[in-house]
Amino acid sequence: MYRVYARDPLARINLGIRRRLAPLMGNDRRKIELMNVLLFTLPGTPIIYYGDEIGMGDNYYLGDRNGVRTPMQWSPDRNAGFSLSNPQKLFLPVIIDPEYHYEAVCVETQSHTPSSLLWWMRRMIDLRKRFSAFGRGSFEFVSPDNPKVLSFLRSYGDETILVLINLSRFSQAVEISTPRFAGFTPEDLFSRNRFPVIKESPYVIILGRYDYQLLLMKKEAETITLKEEVVVPEILVENRWVNVLEGIPLKRLAETVLPEYLRKCRWFGGKGRAINTVTVTDSIPFTGDDETYVLLLIEVAYAEEGTEAVILPIHFAVQDSALQLLKESPEAVIARLRVDEVEGILYDAVYSGRLREALFRMVAQSRRTRVRGGELAGRRTRLFTRLLAGGPPPADSQILRSEQGNTSILFDNRYLFKLFRRAEEGIRPEEEMMRFLTETVHFEGIAPFVGALEYRRPGAGPVTLALVHRYLPGHSDAWKFALDEVTRYFDLVLTQNNDTKKGMQLPPSPIDADPAAIPPLLLDMIGSFCLEMVRLLGQRCGELHLALASRPEVPGFSPEPFSFLDQRSIYQSMRSLARKVLIRLKRNLGRLAPEIRSEAEWVLAAEPEILQQHRRFLDRRFSAMKIRIHGDYHLGQVLFTGKDFILIDFERKTAQAMSERRIKRSPLQDVAGMVRSFHYAAHAALIQHAPLRAEDVPYLEPWAEAWYRCCVGAFIHSYLQTVAGAPFMPKEQEEVEAMLSAFVLDRALHELGYELENRPEWVMIPLRGIRRILESGHSGSLTVRRGL
């Protein structure tokens, strides 16, 4: 030990070495982590000597053991932040060795660096607390084939953790050949990433120099999600229900209850991702109608990367209220809560009518309420003041739906209160867009914006909790209109006789479709009303873009040149998405039905052509401009009044960062979204049309394609006529076609990735869409005939 770790005799004392961990390990981060892993995973209670959590140095020239008793290095300030006194009055001097100087190695600096030793130590401590096997479990050495790798098991209850530690300064391979592990899936404790399942054959793991692996051994069956009866967990607290946010109850709530609850919520955007940790970062008590509610700000850290801030209001219900919630809204129940001898439920307070009324009243009355750490502030527009006309705000409310990122609440069939579930600082894109369209340009094609609710904190940007706009009763969305029209169209097609129809010469691409050239038979079956409404939808889309580009003096809405740098950025984004989605498709190939698998194999084989299509996006400079756009434009984002269309939901894709959602883009991306939405409607009707016989589907597929091309042709022609001469549009027709084709293909690939993760049975729709896009240059006709 002396020869390796204390060559200098002054570093030795009695039978020990008077050094801190970092200098003892030569300040090698890998060795420091490895020694701490041993400390935290071996049996016993880990003791950390102060300063070792940041890698402090020492000064063994001070004599005795004073070399490791120097002032704690809190900050780069005077005396390392340990004391404000004269440095000469300190009992021991601070460390000024250049390698461990207090200005470089201190708590303040490392607290702001997520990759620092301090943050790693915090994660390691949290890991030990989360898994009882380290503190209470049994210990068993595992004899690997490589003596340079220390291997042992820690087991407690259902937890079995395999610890592998490479004590060598070179990379090592170790085989796990214990038969009892066959059928287990190793899961990394830090990242929660799963490794391939262990088979009967030896399982090889490679470890880098001074590397380690902490693997939770899970049975393979445990990794499959099954629909079982939901068991509501129970939490015990004393005195008051809000004590659930303190001590052991909070630990259980954050570690066990909330991760499971969030996965069941429709509004939660991370259902398909592995959750690493859930942390309650802030709890804001809020009083409404003599009831205390708590607004939780929750940080969800995912295993692969990234975090998400979630808003969850909570409340405690007992007796009849609890029974009613369990019966009518079981999705609201977070946990059973016992406060001393009183039993009740902890639930999502959005399901409390009194809370909904209190929040809406704050907006309607522009009221501010001081809460811990800041204030809740309601803001109403002049339009809202006129609509209320001095009367009281409506109290009756009902929850309409929960979508990804928000919950919509209807008040008195007049106002829609959209409660956001993601906490993001700054002005939300939807509020900015709706305020601009309502108050600045007075655009009539939207539901008017009337107010907002914010949470404000000193030194931080406002967090928009909710938006309020007028509700338009009795209107369904354009998606339902399209499904009804295509279903009616299919019914007419099926009434035709079995004779082979003449080949109908349709354009190779819907982009080239001329509505005036639609064959009479097809025109009669689609219907003039349907095509007229589709043309109107294209007109409304164009009018939206003209309105968004009409005020160049407003900085957030002034059109900007579409530069070659923008082209390259979009190209890289499309290329990256294509590669990611195709890799996911290849991994899921075996899970797909045989008829879908053949289509998927065709698309996978066409990867070079897909990438070549993207490269064509850089073949020329586009003479266009970029503006603020809707960003998630499809039939589900448009209301149909029976004779007109109203555009809704300007939040764009909530999975994107707020700054990214405010970026100006080509308006043709909105057009591409609607093009793909028509394709979805045509082919979704084949899936959802209940009376269809199996033999009818192959016959209807080319007719569905014909309906899609005709409707899209009408939509695009109407849009182009509306925006003709607008500065944001490319000057040449070839540029329009090139940009639109690229955006449509990119949208189809995005849909493919979504369906693979959420609705595998719908994967065929984007697969066929991609294939049609790629084949559009090879065939100029579409033959519609009834098969045998």
Side-chain angles (χ1 to χ4, degrees):
M1 294 286 286
Y2 281 161
R3 181 167 49 83
V4 175
Y5 295 109
R7 290 180 178 272
D8 189 339
L10 288 175
R12 307 170 188 175
I13 183 170
N14 300 329
L15 296 179
I17 301 174
R18 48 185 174 191
R19 311 256 9 217
R20 284 186 172 277
L21 179 62
L24 198 66
M25 296 291 107
N27 206 23
D28 186 322
R29 173 70 179 267
R30 281 178 173 265
K31 288 184 181 180
I32 294 170
E33 287 187 8
L34 182 142
M35 295 301 291
N36 278 297
V37 168
L38 284 170
L39 176 68
F40 280 93
T41 58
L42 288 170
T45 303
I47 306 292
I48 303 172
Y49 193 70
Y50 84 92
D52 279 355
E53 70 272 25
I54 61 172
M56 263 182 68
D58 55 34
N59 183 2
Y60 56 78
Y61 296 105
L62 294 175
D64 193 28
R65 298 188 183 274
N66 289 336
V68 296
R69 295 169 176 164
T70 56
M72 178 64 184
Q73 296 169 193
W74 295 104
S75 71
D77 298 329
R78 182 180 185 177
N79 296 327
F82 179 78
S83 170
L84 296 177
S85 66
N86 189 316
Q88 296 184 110
K89 291 183 179 181
L90 295 179
F91 183 78
L92 292 172
V94 295
I95 299 297
I96 57 173
D97 183 309
E99 191 173 3
Y100 303 99
H101 198 285
Y102 68 84
E103 291 183 350
V105 180
C106 64
V107 173
E108 183 180 305
T109 301
Q110 294 198 15
S111 292
H112 298 127
T113 309
S115 60
S116 67
L117 178 62
L118 175 62
W119 272 104
W120 182 90
M121 289 290 287
R122 287 172 175 169
R123 287 190 283 267
M124 192 68 215
I125 292 170
D126 177 67
L127 197 71
R128 182 182 168 90
K129 287 181 176 180
R130 281 194 286 124
F131 293 95
S132 301
F134 293 126
R136 302 183 180 184
S138 62
F139 178 85
E140 177 189 350
F141 277 113
V142 177
S143 301
D145 61 334
N146 189 338
K148 295 180 180 179
V149 177
L150 176 66
S151 308
F152 54 87
L153 285 173
R154 302 302 310 273
S155 303
Y156 181 79
D158 295 333
E159 293 177 4
T160 301
I161 298 172
L162 175 64
V163 181
L164 302 174
I165 298 178
N166 178 18
L167 301 171
S168 169
R169 59 195 175 102
F170 299 109
S171 297
Q172 300 291 331
V174 59
E175 286 187 0
I176 301 174
S177 54
T178 309
R180 62 175 160 163
F181 288 145
F184 280 76
T185 300
E187 183 181 283
D188 179 53
L189 292 191
F190 282 99
S191 67
R192 305 301 290 271
N193 288 332
R194 292 191 175 113
F195 289 72
V197 65
I198 298 175
K199 307 293 185 182
E200 295 289 345
S201 54
Y203 192 88
V204 178
I205 295 179
I206 299 174
L207 299 170
R209 58 178 287 271
Y210 302 124
D211 200 2
Y212 52 87
Q213 284 285 358
L214 309 181
L215 302 173
L216 179 64
M217 309 303 286
K218 282 189 165 184
K219 271 289 189 183
E220 188 176 10
E222 296 177 28
T223 65
I224 300 174
T225 303
L226 299 175
K227 291 184 178 178
E228 300 174 350
E229 185 177 352
V230 177
V231 178
V232 180
E234 185 177 48
I235 304 176
L236 307 178
V237 298
E238 297 178 351
N239 300 327
R240 302 182 306 150
W241 77 265
V242 291
N243 290 341
V244 73
L245 301 173
E246 298 176 359
I248 294 175
L250 175 60
K251 183 174 184 290
R252 174 163 164 72
L253 182 71
E255 294 181 1
T256 307
V257 177
L258 286 177
E260 290 303 317
Y261 175 73
L262 291 174
R263 289 190 186 97
K264 297 183 295 183
C265 296
R266 289 191 61 187
W267 50 261
F268 181 56
K271 290 185 287 292
R273 305 169 69 184
I275 296 176
N276 199 353
T277 59
V278 172
T279 307
V280 178
T281 57
D282 202 357
S283 55
I284 308 162
F286 169 70
T287 302
D289 289 338
D290 299 325
E291 289 280 351
T292 298
Y293 304 91
V294 179
L295 192 67
L296 296 185
L297 298 183
I298 301 168
E299 183 180 88
V300 181
Y302 297 106
E304 61 273 20
E305 62 177 14
T307 60
E308 182 177 0
V310 173
I311 299 171
L312 179 64
I314 61 172
H315 190 230
F316 179 52
V318 297
Q319 299 177 348
D320 293 343
S321 298
L323 292 174
Q324 185 178 358
L325 276 166
L326 285 168
K327 181 181 178 180
E328 298 178 0
S329 306
E331 68 277 10
V333 179
I334 300 171
R336 294 184 183 273
L337 189 61
R338 178 179 294 178
V339 184
D340 295 327
E341 299 302 318
V342 179
E343 292 187 9
I345 59 169
L346 187 72
Y347 70 101
D348 182 350
V350 169
Y351 288 82
S352 167
R354 298 176 73 178
L355 173 70
R356 298 197 297 264
E357 181 184 353
L359 294 177
F360 185 79
R361 196 184 301 125
M362 288 189 67
V363 178
Q365 298 174 350
S366 288
R367 199 169 63 197
R368 297 184 180 186
T369 301
R370 289 217 161 270
V371 295
R372 188 176 65 197
E375 68 172 8
L376 295 177
R379 292 186 291 106
R380 69 182 183 189
T381 64
R382 291 189 296 272
L383 174 62
F384 202 4
T385 305
R386 291 198 303 271
L387 291 172
L388 291 172
D396 294 337
S397 65
Q398 59 177 313
I399 297 176
L400 285 186
R401 60 187 180 273
S402 287
E403 301 171 333
Q404 185 165 314
N406 65 74
T407 299
S408 295
I409 303 163
L410 178 62
F411 281 85
D412 197 30
N413 212 36
R414 289 189 291 162
Y415 303 102
L416 194 67
F417 185 94
K418 181 187 288 188
L419 179 71
F420 294 109
R421 297 296 194 147
R422 291 186 68 188
E424 299 177 284
E425 288 189 7
I427 300 175
R428 297 192 78 99
E430 182 169 15
E431 178 183 357
E432 187 181 25
M433 293 273 284
M434 293 189 69
R435 185 180 289 277
F436 175 81
L437 291 170
T438 302
E439 299 183 337
T440 305
V441 298
H442 307 291
F443 182 68
E444 296 183 355
I446 64 168
F449 167 76
V450 296
L453 179 65
E454 292 181 344
Y455 172 51
R456 300 170 182 171
R457 294 170 291 179
V463 176
T464 302
L465 301 179
L467 295 182
V468 185
H469 58 77
R470 285 291 306 275
Y471 179 68
L472 305 173
H475 304 325
S476 61
D477 57 36
W479 171 256
K480 185 178 184 304
F481 161 74
L483 284 182
D484 290 344
E485 287 297 316
V486 76
T487 300
R488 181 192 58 78
Y489 164 76
F490 284 162
D491 291 340
L492 288 174
V493 170
L494 291 173
T495 62
Q496 303 297 310
N497 58 42
N498 292 330
D499 297 335
T500 302
K501 307 300 177 192
K502 292 183 178 181
M504 287 188 283
Q505 299 296 318
L506 290 179
S509 165
I511 299 172
D512 302 323
D514 181 4
I518 297 176
L521 174 65
L522 199 55
L523 182 61
D524 289 342
M525 287 190 290
I526 294 175
S528 58
F529 174 75
C530 175
L531 289 175
E532 188 58 37
M533 289 298 100
V534 170
R535 292 189 191 99
L536 181 60
L537 182 61
Q539 178 184 333
R540 294 290 179 260
C541 180
E543 289 170 350
L544 170 69
H545 292 156
L546 290 172
L548 290 171
S550 64
R551 294 298 176 89
E553 71 277 7
V554 180
F557 292 87
S558 58
E560 297 176 2
F562 193 83
S563 67
F564 193 68
L565 184 62
D566 293 317
Q567 284 183 238
R568 289 203 62 85
S569 176
I570 293 172
Y571 162 71
Q572 294 291 351
S573 174
M574 293 191 298
R575 179 185 175 90
S576 174
L577 175 68
R579 289 187 179 278
K580 188 189 303 182
V581 169
L582 292 175
I583 288 172
R584 190 182 304 170
L585 178 63
K586 189 173 183 179
R587 287 176 181 168
N588 288 276
L589 203 57
R591 295 171 47 210
L592 302 177
E595 64 274 12
I596 300 178
R597 194 178 306 139
S598 60
E599 200 78 26
E601 289 170 346
W602 190 97
V603 170
L604 286 171
E607 180 177 358
E609 190 172 349
I610 292 173
L611 298 178
Q612 179 61 31
Q613 287 272 66
H614 289 332
R615 277 193 288 271
R616 291 178 189 143
F617 194 72
L618 299 178
D619 284 351
R620 70 179 78 200
R621 291 284 300 272
F622 296 128
S623 57
M625 301 192 80
K626 55 184 182 178
I627 61 172
R628 294 291 290 273
I629 64 172
H630 186 284
D632 191 23
Y633 191 60
H634 54 79
L635 290 167
Q637 305 285 42
V638 181
L639 294 181
F640 179 55
T641 69
K643 58 181 180 180
D644 208 339
F645 294 95
I646 303 294
L647 282 65
I648 61 173
D649 200 353
F650 289 81
E651 189 63 14
R652 294 177 68 164
K653 298 180 178 67
T654 55
Q656 296 175 338
M658 188 119 60
S659 58
E660 189 176 355
R661 281 180 269 154
R662 297 182 72 245
I663 292 176
K664 296 169 185 174
R665 303 180 187 276
S666 167
L668 291 176
Q669 288 182 274
D670 277 349
V671 178
M674 190 57 71
V675 168
R676 289 295 309 144
S677 195
F678 276 113
H679 184 266
Y680 252 75
H683 291 274
L686 290 174
I687 298 174
Q688 298 177 340
H689 195 349
L692 284 183
R693 300 170 300 171
E695 59 267 26
D696 290 333
V697 174
Y699 168 65
L700 286 174
E701 283 176 352
W703 289 97
E705 184 70 16
W707 182 91
Y708 155 66
R709 294 193 182 196
C710 291
C711 287
V712 166
F715 174 83
I716 291 177
H717 271 71
S718 176
Y719 173 82
L720 293 177
Q721 287 176 0
T722 304
V723 299
F728 54 76
M729 288 297 294
K731 294 181 173 58
E732 302 294 333
Q733 180 67 21
E734 292 78 11
E735 296 179 60
V736 175
E737 293 178 2
M739 294 180 74
L740 193 51
S741 297
F743 292 145
V744 170
L745 178 58
D746 182 62
R747 181 79 178 198
L749 286 163
H750 173 80
E751 293 162 354
L752 176 58
Y754 175 85
E755 302 298 6
L756 283 170
E757 186 172 334
N758 296 280
R759 295 184 300 190
E761 67 276 11
W762 283 47
V763 164
M764 180 64 90
I765 297 178
L767 283 174
R768 284 185 174 166
I770 294 168
R771 183 166 184 168
R772 297 293 186 273
I773 293 167
L774 297 178
E775 290 178 340
S776 62
H778 307 307
S779 174
S781 65
L782 176 67
T783 301
V784 182
R785 62 186 180 87
R786 188 162 216 159
L788 298 177

